[in-house]
Amino acid sequence: MKRYSILMVMDHCLICKDTKNLHIHEVFYGTGKRQISIKEGLCVTLCPFHHNASNHGVHLNKTLDLKIKKWAQKKWQEHNKKTTEDFIKLMGKNYL
């Protein structure tokens, strides 16, 4: 399935703005959530350092992971004119 984003223009790293060797990251991942992220446009681009090639990457830095999840939930709710309850129905959890 083709990735797109309602969160950002996917031509740079969300964190450092680098434009080289970008990885697509589904913000919500795990059982079934990756496919929902893809369908809902909850994807961002990250450089390897901020994705999974360092301890600063979203997959190993839980603080960064939660920060992006909170931001993505807020943007999804605004974009779709939905409530926190709607998001919980979709993802099973509130990150705000």
Side-chain angles (χ1 to χ4, degrees):
M1 186 181 298
K2 184 172 169 66
R3 270 51 164 201
Y4 75 99
S5 181
I6 65 167
L7 305 172
M8 65 178 292
V9 176
M10 296 193 341
D11 64 354
H12 62 276
C13 174
L14 176 66
I15 309 303
C16 69
K17 311 304 183 215
D18 191 0
T19 59
K20 297 181 183 99
N21 197 23
L22 298 174
H23 297 187
I24 297 175
H25 172 69
E26 295 85 9
V27 175
F28 302 96
Y29 46 90
T31 308
K33 291 185 175 77
R34 186 176 311 276
Q35 291 303 317
I36 296 169
S37 285
I38 293 167
K39 180 177 179 260
E40 295 291 324
L42 296 169
C43 299
V44 297
T45 45
L46 297 168
C47 69
F49 183 83
H50 287 110
H51 189 227
N52 59 6
S54 77
N55 289 341
H56 300 282
V58 70
H59 285 287
L60 296 175
N61 180 335
K62 295 304 171 193
T63 301
L64 178 60
D65 185 49
L66 182 58
K67 182 178 180 180
I68 292 173
K69 282 177 167 58
K70 287 179 178 183
W71 171 73
Q73 176 180 341
K74 184 176 180 207
K75 297 293 259 182
W76 181 87
Q77 288 180 211
E78 290 170 359
H79 178 81
N80 293 295
K81 298 177 178 54
K82 299 285 187 175
T83 65
T84 298
E85 291 75 25
D86 294 321
F87 186 83
I88 293 169
K89 286 178 191 172
L90 180 71
M91 287 296 181
K93 185 175 179 179
N94 176 25
Y95 292 91
L96 298 178

